[in-house]
């Protein structure tokens, strides 16, 4: 508890300087193909799900028609497996001509015409993870190509780069190259993910270089994957929480709600915890065919408001007890988001009694606060004082989420 308070003081008085490109002042929201569509290039046998321009055009259509853009999801992003295996005669990256016959610029134009932003993928090393051309030795040229195409976001992977000093230099050089194009391009890095196995990354430098950064393993469509990411983040929160803020965010990877692997309770847990962790909300799912309950959860305005809170402070785990994890995230207002996860994958719903005075940020209820429960169901819980107590009833692997707002 003591270190948490120290950490809070530090967040408010000694924020690390962020990459100065005016972007990602709140966590990025959008859609990214990887977890759901992977490196499916078999357009002959699987035309609806392979990586080709039609997939992104259809997602862009759905983003606008189905209320995603209105809810805040703005970026439509390509991941690996879009390029041709060879650069062109001038050494420029080019899209696979069979799968992207109109070219990337036309696709970007289409996505822009819908009022959306367009993201693409590259790699700091000699090849991408799936073996397509990497940008090593081509940072300036590739940045220029992306800018000419109208790219708004670059996800820059870290495969095929084994020297950690070169990895750092590569991410920094690409950041500089993007800046020098004069186009505002959000820069999504995987630098710390690749550096952790060798040494502790320098998050001061990372925050100066990138708008968000992957720290840990790729997300899978499973509750065990979500739990491992959340637990890793909690274990490293002393390092991670102070470096998040407007302009730069820790990235625990994509939202997988709306796919196959999570129950509805587990989907509520991912959505709540990604909002608490001030994580980019990049969905990877099929927007053309989405369960209405998943859609309602992903578009839940109250959860999105927590994610996008202008204070931009990342939440943290307060403690664990009786098979529950307790998290809080200070919000502007002042207000506080509280999440309680039932980690017991056994039995039925269990009650978690939360005494306000035990929260590190109890001051938000001094003298009184107004409580809104958002998950598992929306409910106005009324006014509480410092000696107040909340009782949440939570399904196995589900999460209760609430906001506490100071009343003067
Ligand atoms: C490039 O960096 C400078 C200073 O660091 C900043 O003022 C400028 O807005 C940046 N330009 C772009 C396009 O990101
Ligand atoms: C980064 O840029 C510096 C300065 O131009 C250069 O010396 C270095 O080799 C570059 N590193 C990489 C990995 O591109
Ligand atoms: C981390 O990066 C910052 C900013 O680039 C630099 O000033 C600092 O010396 C670095 N820290 C270490 C331990 O290398």
């Amino acid at each position: 508890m003591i270190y948490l308070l120290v950490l809070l003081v530090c967040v408010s008085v000694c924020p690390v300087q962020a990459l100065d490109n005016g972007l990602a002042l709140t966590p990025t929201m959008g859609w990214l193909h990887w977890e759901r569509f992977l490196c499916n290039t078999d357009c002959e046998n699987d035309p609806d799900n392979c990586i080709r321009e039609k997939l992104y055009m259809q997602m862009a259509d759905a983003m606008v028609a189905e209320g995603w853009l209105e809810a805040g999801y703005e970026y439509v992003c390509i991941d690996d497996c879009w390029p041709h295996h060879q650069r062109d005669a001038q050494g420029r990256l080019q899209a696979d001509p069979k799968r992207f016959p109109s070219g990337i610029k036309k696709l970007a134009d289409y996505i822009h015409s819908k009022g959306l932003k367009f993201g693409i993928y590259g790699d700091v090393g000699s090849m991408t993870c799936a073996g397509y051309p990497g940008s090593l030795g081509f940072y300036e040229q590739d940045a220029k190509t992306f800018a000419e195409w109208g790219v708004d976001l670059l996800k820059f992977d870290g495969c095929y780069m084994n020297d950690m000093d070169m990895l750092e230099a590569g991410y920094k050089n690409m950041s500089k190259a993007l800046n020098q194009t004069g186009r505002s391009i959000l820069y999504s890095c995987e630098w710390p993910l690749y550096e952790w196995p060798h040494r502790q990354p320098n998050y001061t430098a990372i925050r100066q270089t990138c708008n968000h950064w992957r720290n840990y393993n790729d997300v899978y469509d499973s509750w065990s994957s979500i739990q491992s990411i959340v637990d890793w983040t909690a274990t490293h929160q002393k390092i991670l929480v102070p470096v998040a803020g407007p302009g730069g965010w820790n990235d625990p990877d994509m939202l997988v709600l709306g796919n196959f692997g999570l129950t509805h309770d587990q989907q509520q847990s991912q959505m709540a915890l990604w909002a608490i962790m001030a994580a980019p909300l990049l969905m990877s799912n099929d927007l053309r065919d989405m369960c209405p309950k998943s859609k309602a959860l992903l578009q839940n305005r109250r959860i999105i408001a927590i994610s996008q809170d202008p204070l931009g402070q990342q939440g943290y785990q307060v403690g664990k007890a009786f098979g529950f994890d307790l998290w809080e995230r200070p919000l502007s207002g002042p207000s506080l988001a509280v999440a309680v996860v039932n980690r017991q994958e056994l039995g039925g719903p269990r009650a978690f009694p939360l005494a306000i005075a035990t929260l590190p940020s109890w001051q938000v209820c001094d003298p009184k606060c107004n409580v809104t429960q958002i998950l598992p169901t929306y409910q106005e819980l009324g006014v509480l004082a410092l000696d107040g107590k909340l009782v949440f009833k939570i399904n196995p692997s589900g999460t209760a989420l609430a906001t506490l707002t100071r009343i003067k």
Side-chain angles (χ1 to χ4, degrees):
M1 211 65 113
I2 299 294
Y3 84 79
L4 274 174
L5 296 178
V6 170
L7 183 143
L8 290 183
V9 170
C10 197
V11 165
S12 51
V13 300
C14 44
V16 188
Q17 200 193 327
L19 170 61
D20 180 21
N21 62 2
L23 299 172
L25 298 181
T26 61
T28 307
M29 293 177 68
W31 181 91
L32 173 64
H33 95 235
W34 188 258
E35 192 285 320
R36 177 63 188 255
F37 296 95
L38 299 169
C39 191
N40 181 352
T41 54
D42 186 4
C43 295
E44 248 166 64
N45 295 306
D46 198 3
D48 291 335
N49 299 297
C50 71
I51 302 312
R52 61 166 169 168
E53 61 190 33
K54 194 172 138 218
L55 182 71
Y56 306 94
M57 293 166 77
Q58 290 179 340
M59 291 306 160
D61 294 347
M63 292 272 281
V64 176
E66 303 286 331
W68 298 101
L69 176 60
E70 215 189 315
Y73 295 92
E74 192 180 11
Y75 289 84
V76 177
C77 304
I78 305 185
D79 206 287
D80 204 347
C81 304
W82 64 269
H84 191 46
H85 275 289
Q86 275 85 43
R87 288 173 178 270
D88 74 6
Q90 283 79 47
R92 287 176 304 204
L93 285 173
Q94 51 186 342
D96 183 286
K98 280 214 187 78
R99 293 183 286 117
F100 294 84
S102 314
I104 299 293
K105 170 119 187 41
K106 281 272 161 52
L107 178 57
D109 288 348
Y110 182 82
I111 286 168
H112 289 147
S113 77
K114 300 254 151 189
L116 296 158
K117 295 197 163 133
F118 173 65
I120 206 163
Y121 168 98
D123 192 286
V124 73
S126 54
M127 283 195 284
T128 72
C129 298
Y132 292 86
S135 291
L136 182 61
F138 294 90
Y139 298 136
E140 283 171 27
Q141 183 165 22
D142 292 352
K144 215 166 143 248
T145 303
F146 295 145
E148 282 166 10
W149 285 345
V151 164
D152 303 301
L153 178 154
L154 173 65
K155 173 176 173 177
F156 213 41
D157 213 332
C159 280
Y160 296 99
M161 182 70 121
N162 295 322
D163 181 298
M164 288 305 112
D165 292 332
M166 269 177 77
L167 182 91
E168 281 192 22
Y171 274 105
K172 288 177 184 168
N173 288 0
M174 189 54 160
S175 187
K176 203 165 149 205
L178 289 172
N179 178 281
Q180 282 168 356
T181 66
R183 184 174 175 86
S184 297
I185 299 176
L186 199 154
Y187 188 33
S188 165
C189 299
E190 305 211 22
W191 163 0
L193 165 64
Y194 288 90
E195 193 162 16
W196 268 113
H198 305 277
R199 63 191 188 196
Q200 183 170 325
N202 181 341
Y203 280 96
T204 305
I206 291 168
R207 182 167 168 78
Q208 287 167 348
T209 306
C210 308
N211 291 116
H212 32 86
W213 46 86
R214 283 279 310 285
N215 293 307
Y216 189 64
N217 296 345
D218 285 8
V219 71
Y220 278 57
D221 187 12
S222 76
W223 178 232
S224 62
S225 168
I226 302 299
Q227 290 183 98
S228 72
I229 291 170
V230 166
D231 289 342
W232 188 90
T233 305
T235 306
H236 295 82
Q237 65 186 3
K238 262 199 269 190
I239 298 166
L240 302 179
V241 170
V243 295
W249 312 98
N250 292 293
D251 179 5
D253 211 6
M254 292 157 271
L255 291 168
V256 296
L257 289 80
N259 290 315
F260 310 97
L262 302 184
T263 67
H264 193 67
D265 291 298
Q266 292 161 357
Q267 294 185 46
Q268 290 194 340
S269 292
Q270 192 189 20
M271 193 67 192
L273 290 168
W274 261 236
I276 290 282
M277 294 190 293
L281 302 181
L282 290 166
M283 307 178 276
S284 192
N285 49 23
D286 191 345
L287 301 175
R288 302 165 301 185
D289 175 23
M290 168 89 57
C291 154
K293 277 176 83 179
S294 300
K295 181 179 167 188
L297 189 50
L298 284 160
Q299 295 191 1
N300 184 309
R301 300 300 199 270
R302 292 185 179 88
I303 306 176
I304 291 172
I306 294 172
S307 155
Q308 302 292 302
D309 184 77
L311 192 60
Q313 188 186 331
Q314 180 172 336
Y316 39 82
Q317 194 177 80
V318 170
K320 300 166 88 70
F322 314 112
F324 292 99
D325 295 351
L326 174 61
W327 295 71
E328 68 169 32
R329 177 178 172 185
L331 306 172
S332 55
S335 179
L336 183 72
V338 173
V340 185
V341 190
N342 179 358
R343 293 293 294 266
Q344 185 171 292
E345 296 173 55
L346 187 71
R350 291 193 302 145
F352 182 84
L354 175 63
I356 299 301
T358 63
L359 287 167
S361 298
W362 52 266
Q363 297 94 329
V364 74
C365 293
D366 186 13
K368 280 183 177 142
C369 59
N370 192 48
V371 184
T372 302
Q373 182 182 305
I374 301 170
L375 295 175
T377 50
Y378 167 68
Q379 222 176 329
E380 291 296 342
L381 296 180
V383 175
L384 276 188
L386 255 188
D387 61 356
K389 193 186 251 187
L390 287 164
V391 180
F392 297 113
K393 214 163 172 207
I394 313 163
N395 289 348
S397 65
T399 294
L401 178 68
T403 52
L404 284 54
T405 304
R406 154 108 31 99
I407 302 173
K408 285 177 194 85

